[in-house]
Amino acid sequence: MKITSAEFIVSNSDAAKCPKEPIPEYAFIGRSNVGKSSLINMLTNRTSLAKTSGRPGKTQLINHFKINNNWHLVDLPGYGYARVSKSTKETFQKFITDYFEKREQLVCGFVLVDIRHEAQKIDLEFINYLGESGVPFCIIFTKADKISKGKVQQHVAAYRKKVIENGWEEMPQHFVTSSEDATGREELLNYIDEVNKGIFENEGF
Ligand code: GTP
Ligand code: MG
């Protein structure tokens, strides 16, 4: 898919106030600093559409970006930064769980995980929460430029093992990306394009 336009629409701290327009949207979630905002910039080929930072906690709100005038990308705040893990509801900010549970336009959540690290409890917890809530999602490995090509498949296989140990029958659909060198850009955009086509052909939601 070719990106012809990408514009910032609005920031919100309340899922109920997000844009009403009935167009498909895809949301980026994951630990603070995992690279959510950077991936949005990489996909849209913009340097600073979404605000990024070397310090965790940069994105604080639900940010809607309209792409090609007919679908939304959503940048969300990170989780797991300076938070004590308790129940899911307490671990993940209420407006984020509200967003995932109530947002009718949400087609797929992209759960970002840093490919360098072993599966983290908080990410497995969030994946299970999405599963229990019936929210479709994919796993996106980020920062693939930071490990050798040979290690990439090894890390994905180790992650798959953890996900299965955590109760999943199989590894959910996943993508390997790098915002530094645009690894995974075509695959991810093609995936979104295919899903969008299915929705547009069926005249929306
Ligand atoms: P919060 O908004 O705080 O939740 O963080 P975020 O997940 O949006 O992360 P962000 O995109 O701001 O990136 C965090 C840091 O990681 C920045 O210093 C980025 O430059 C760096 N980074 C993000 N993606 C990549 C990548 O693919 N490769 C490398 N090498 N660095 C990356
Ligand atoms: Mg961010």
Side-chain angles (χ1 to χ4, degrees), residues 63-165:
N63 298 289
H64 274 76
F65 299 94
K66 196 168 184 183
I67 314 300
N68 291 358
N69 233 3
N70 62 5
W71 55 282
H72 282 136
L73 273 179
V74 179
D75 193 14
L76 294 169
Y79 53 67
Y81 174 61
R83 274 174 185 279
V84 183
S85 181
K86 290 182 185 160
S87 72
T88 301
K89 288 282 175 197
E90 286 164 342
T91 306
F92 306 111
Q93 282 166 282
K94 171 95 169 51
F95 75 88
I96 297 180
T97 51
D98 271 355
Y99 171 83
F100 280 100
E101 288 163 33
K102 296 182 181 157
R103 186 73 178 154
E104 288 176 5
Q105 290 91 331
L106 180 66
V107 173
C108 183
F110 291 125
V111 181
L112 274 61
V113 297
D114 189 322
I115 195 156
R116 292 172 295 173
H117 308 317
E118 273 183 27
Q120 313 265 309
K121 186 167 168 271
I122 196 166
D123 295 319
L124 295 170
E125 215 175 294
F126 195 78
I127 287 168
N128 281 4
Y129 158 74
L130 289 178
E132 283 156 18
S133 309
V135 177
F137 69 93
C138 296
I139 294 176
I140 299 199
F141 295 98
T142 65
K143 309 194 183 184
D145 58 284
K146 294 215 180 208
I147 61 173
S148 69
K149 288 223 161 58
K151 285 244 162 100
V152 165
Q153 284 318 312
Q154 211 177 308
H155 286 214
V156 172
Y159 208 93
R160 176 179 181 275
K161 193 161 171 275
K162 277 286 173 74
V163 167
I164 289 169
E165 276 169 19

Side-chain angles (χ1 to χ4, degrees), residues 31-38 50-53 57-60 63 75-78:
R31 291 167 73 90
S32 285
N33 220 40
V34 69
K36 301 175 291 295
S37 304
S38 302
K51 302 241 166 42
T52 66
S53 166
K58 180 68 179 173
T59 310
Q60 292 285 339
N63 298 289
D75 193 14
L76 294 169

